[in-house]
Amino acid sequence: MRVVPTYPWPLVLAAGLAPSAAHAQSSFQGIGFLPGGQPSSYVYAISGDGSTVMATATDAAGARQPVRWTSSTGVVSLGGLPGGAPSANGEAYGASFDGSVIVGSEP
């Protein structure tokens, strides 16, 4: 007779997949646009803790600006890179888990 050991991990895994209160109250919310900008924004990423959204929004001149959104600040332009062209199109693509470090590009 062969004995197969059993482990409690399937129970732990199943418990980890159970819906949480945070998931039960999830909802969709648009991030809005840059103040004074055109009605255009595109989300690229959300920080691991869900507090910060990295996106691109179009300013009044039609240039794409890298932006950050949080529930307390709304959409805020991250500006251009030092030495970069003021009207260059930039994008924010990702962030650290807590949103304190943002990565992106600018042509």
Side-chain angles (χ1 to χ4, degrees):
M1 179 164 125
R2 181 176 170 185
V3 176
V4 178
T6 58
Y7 299 98
W9 65 266
L11 297 176
V12 173
L13 179 60
L17 296 175
S20 68
H23 289 104
Q25 298 177 10
S26 296
S27 64
F28 175 82
Q29 174 182 343
I31 66 167
F33 313 110
L34 276 173
Q38 297 181 11
S40 175
S41 59
Y42 184 83
V43 172
Y44 285 105
I46 301 172
S47 63
D49 66 2
S51 67
T52 308
V53 174
M54 284 60 62
T56 294
T58 306
D59 65 16
R64 291 188 323 266
Q65 298 294 321
V67 297
R68 174 188 70 215
W69 176 94
T70 66
S71 62
S72 61
T73 64
V75 175
V76 176
S77 175
L78 298 174
L81 293 172
S87 62
N89 292 319
E91 298 171 330
Y93 289 122
S96 59
F97 181 83
D98 66 356
S100 62
V101 177
I102 297 175
V103 296
S105 69
E106 182 177 277

